[in-house]
Amino acid sequence: MLQNVRGTYDILDDEYARFTYVNDLFTHFMNLYGYKMIKTPVIEDTAVFKKDNDTSDMVTKEMFTFSINGKDSLTLRPEGTAGVIRAYIQHKMYALEAPVKLAYIEEMFRYERPQKGRQRQFNQLGIEVLGEKSAMIDAEVIALGYTFLRTLGIEDIEVHLNTLGNNASRSRYIEALKDYFRPHIDKLCADCQMRLDKNPLRILDCKIDHELDVIKNAPTIKDYLDDEASEYFKDVLKYLDTLEIPYVIDEHMVRGLDYYTDTVFEVMNTNKEAGSQSTIFGGGRYDNLVAEMGGPAMSGIGFAIGEERLIMAVEQAGAFPDLTTTPDVYIIDLSEGDPYVLKVAEILRRNGFSVVVNYYKRSLKSQFKSVDRYQARYTIIIGEDEIRDMKVNIKDNRSKNQEVVKSDDLVAYLDRKLGGNEYE
C-alpha cells in the first residue's frame, strides 16, 4: 500500500481545523500590527539560502537541493526569511516607506531526523520587518509573538534573549572565541572543529557539545560590546519592561542561523510535557543580510514559529476551543435522487447555509442516524409529496418541532431561525 514519504504527514479533519484556527488568529494579529501577507515560491535558487561561510546545520546538512538538466541548482525552501528578502529586493520594496512589515504562512522543507513536532515538511508562521533599525521595533516584534502565544492560551512561556552586538562588537567577540577555543579544539566535535575558523559563534549552539565545560565557560558577548551595541540592547530591555514582557537574558544564545546581529531571542514552552520540544519560536535582527543578497544596506528583524510545535503547545495547555463544525441542514431524500433534492440543497448553499445531502438509497432509519452523526441543526425531508407541492418538511432537531415550508420561503425561514448568515 502506498504511504506518505517519511518525514511528511497528512493533516486530517480535526487537526486541519486546529491549523485553520491558528492561521486565522495569526492573520488577525498581522492586521492589528500593520503587517502585509506575502507568499514566496516553494522552490528558490540555491544561492538564496546558501551564503559564503555559512556553517549552520540547515545549510550544510538539511537542504533539499537538486539540479535541472545538470545546470541550475534549486532548493526547496528550508526557512522563510531569505525568500522574503529576495522578494523585497527583486520588487524594490525598499523604496516603500520604512519599515516594510511582511508576514507569511508557508510550508518549509528540511532533511532531518523526523520526530514529534519536527518533520521534513513542516508549516511555519513568520514575520519580517525591513528597512529600519530600532530597539522599539525589536521589542514590538518580541511582544507580538509573546502576546500571540498568550492569546492562543499558552501561559507557560518564557522569553530568552541575548545580543550578538553590532558588526564591530561581533567581530571582536568572534576573534576572542577563536582564541579561547583553539587550545581546546580536540575536545570539540568534528562540526565544531570546522566551525572554529568559519564561525565560532556556532560552537556555542552545538547540539552535541553544549554540555561540555569548555562551552559553558566560554567568553560571553557582554565583555566585547561597544557603547553603541550595549546601549541598543539596554533600550530593547527598557521597551520590553514598559510592555511588561518578562524575559531571561541568555548570554550563550546565538540562534541557529549565521546572519543574526544584535537582538536574538527564543520563546520557550516551560510546560513539563514539552520536553525537548520546548522552543516554540525564535528570531532576531540581521544588519547585513539584505546587502549580502544584493540589496541596499538595510537592517531587518523577524521571527519564525514552527506551527506543528505551536499546535502541540496549545494542546498541552488544553487551550483549543471546540472546533467541531456541524451542518445547518441535513437533507433526507426519500425520492431516490429526484433533481428537486439537489436544487433545494444548492439554493441553501448559495445563501450561505451548510448542507449535507443523502445521495444514495437508504432506509429512513439509517438516514436519521446520519442526522445524529452529523449533529445537524435542522433536518429536511423530501419525498414525493414535497416534490409535487414544491415544499419541504423541516424538523428542528433541538425542539423537535416539524413544519412544512414552501421552497421559495425556505431561505427566509432559516434566516429567522438561525439569525441570518455571515456569507449573505
Side-chain angles (χ1 to χ4, degrees):
M1 183 176 66
L2 293 175
Q3 296 187 354
N4 57 289
V5 175
R6 184 169 184 259
T8 68
Y9 69 107
D10 301 310
I11 301 176
L12 305 179
D13 190 20
D14 291 342
E15 188 170 9
Y16 195 92
R18 290 191 283 271
F19 273 89
T20 300
Y21 174 77
V22 169
N23 291 347
D24 287 348
L25 183 62
F26 182 75
T27 303
H28 172 66
F29 261 72
M30 295 307 100
N31 291 330
L32 292 179
Y33 282 78
Y35 285 75
K36 301 296 184 183
M37 301 302 295
I38 184 172
K39 195 167 187 66
T40 61
V42 170
I43 303 173
E44 295 271 12
D45 190 303
T46 300
V48 169
F49 306 109
K50 192 170 185 178
K51 313 297 185 302
D52 292 340
N53 297 320
D54 194 330
T55 61
S56 65
D57 287 347
M58 184 196 77
V59 170
T60 59
K61 301 178 181 179
E62 298 171 357
M63 297 204 307
F64 284 92
T65 297
F66 55 96
S67 63
I68 301 296
N69 298 325
K71 296 178 181 179
D72 299 329
S73 179
L74 304 177
T75 295
L76 294 179
R77 180 180 54 213
E79 57 96 15
T81 299
V84 170
I85 292 183
R86 191 269 310 149
Y88 173 79
I89 296 168
Q90 179 177 337
H91 300 290
K92 296 182 172 58
M93 284 188 272
Y94 49 78
L96 301 173
E97 181 179 349
V100 175
K101 303 167 79 172
L102 303 171
Y104 58 85
I105 303 173
E106 301 276 32
E107 291 176 314
M108 307 296 171
F109 302 83
R110 295 188 190 182
Y111 188 83
E112 54 185 334
R113 183 175 62 84
Q115 54 187 294
K116 188 176 181 181
R118 186 185 293 272
Q119 300 293 329
R120 289 174 176 170
Q121 178 179 337
F122 59 98
N123 296 274
Q124 195 173 84
L125 314 173
I127 67 171
E128 311 295 342
V129 185
L130 298 158
E132 187 171 316
K133 183 174 183 177
S134 165
M136 185 179 290
I137 292 175
D138 294 18
E140 184 183 88
V141 164
I142 296 170
L144 187 164
Y146 179 86
T147 307
F148 173 59
L149 298 192
R150 293 299 298 267
T151 304
L152 279 169
I154 309 172
E155 297 184 355
D156 298 328
I157 52 177
E158 194 171 69
V159 176
H160 289 223
L161 74 159
N162 191 24
T163 178
L164 298 180
N166 53 21
N167 288 333
S169 301
R170 180 185 169 106
S171 295
R172 284 193 297 272
Y173 183 46
I174 286 174
E175 290 306 313
L177 287 176
K178 288 180 180 179
D179 292 340
Y180 170 77
F181 281 119
R182 195 164 282 118
H184 306 288
I185 190 169
D186 292 340
K187 299 177 183 178
L188 304 177
C189 70
D191 285 342
C192 286
Q193 291 180 22
M194 179 270 293
R195 291 166 179 155
L196 180 60
D197 289 321
K198 291 186 175 181
N199 187 356
L201 282 171
R202 298 288 297 115
I203 298 175
L204 302 177
D205 195 42
C206 179
K207 297 179 178 65
I208 298 173
D209 294 341
H210 67 280
E211 291 296 332
L212 295 179
D213 288 340
V214 68
I215 303 291
K216 294 178 179 179
N217 297 327
T220 59
I221 184 67
K222 67 179 181 181
D223 295 325
Y224 299 89
L225 297 176
D226 58 24
D227 290 343
E228 178 188 47
S230 180
E231 288 303 314
Y232 187 87
F233 191 52
K234 288 178 182 177
D235 284 344
V236 174
L237 302 183
K238 177 184 68 177
Y239 288 125
L240 289 174
D241 290 337
T242 300
L243 296 174
E244 299 182 345
I245 305 297
Y247 57 83
V248 174
I249 297 176
D250 183 347
E251 294 179 340
H252 280 104
M253 179 187 296
V254 297
R255 296 288 298 144
L257 299 171
D258 284 356
Y259 50 63
Y260 288 118
T261 58
D262 284 296
T263 312
V264 290
F265 56 89
E266 292 183 354
V267 177
M268 318 294 287
N269 183 1
T270 58
N271 188 312
K272 293 180 180 178
E273 292 184 34
S276 62
Q277 308 297 321
S278 60
T279 302
I280 301 177
F281 77 88
R285 179 162 288 283
Y286 39 87
D287 280 344
N288 309 311
L289 185 57
V290 177
E292 287 177 0
M293 293 183 65
M298 288 187 169
S299 186
I301 186 172
F303 67 65
I305 305 176
E307 197 164 4
E308 283 80 0
R309 194 174 293 188
L310 173 62
I311 286 173
M312 283 173 49
V314 180
E315 290 172 342
Q316 289 161 1
F320 273 118
D322 182 2
L323 300 174
T324 304
T325 57
T326 57
D328 297 315
V329 174
Y330 188 100
I331 297 181
I332 288 180
D333 177 16
L334 302 180
S335 73
E336 299 185 19
D338 191 283
Y340 178 71
V341 174
L342 201 57
K343 181 179 179 181
V344 169
E346 195 64 14
I347 288 171
L348 292 177
R349 289 167 178 154
R350 290 178 183 181
N351 283 273
F353 298 101
S354 58
V355 180
V356 175
V357 180
N358 177 74
Y359 295 109
Y360 52 97
K361 185 177 180 180
R362 293 191 298 161
S363 69
L364 183 62
K365 181 179 180 181
S366 65
Q367 291 189 58
F368 267 115
K369 286 183 178 179
S370 293
V371 172
D372 293 339
R373 188 176 76 254
Y374 278 101
Q375 299 179 35
R377 181 69 174 82
Y378 285 87
T379 302
I380 287 178
I381 304 171
I382 297 177
E384 292 181 3
D385 292 344
E386 287 77 20
I387 295 169
R388 182 190 65 240
D389 298 334
M390 300 294 285
K391 297 178 179 179
V392 300
N393 197 323
I394 186 165
K395 177 183 178 182
D396 184 328
N397 292 322
R398 293 180 183 173
S399 69
K400 306 304 179 184
N401 292 333
Q402 194 161 323
E403 299 180 61
V404 175
V405 178
K406 292 181 179 179
S407 59
D408 289 344
D409 298 333
L410 184 56
V411 170
Y413 175 89
L414 286 173
D415 272 342
R416 290 195 305 271
K417 296 293 185 178
L418 295 173
N421 193 282
E422 62 176 310
Y423 296 108
E424 286 186 315

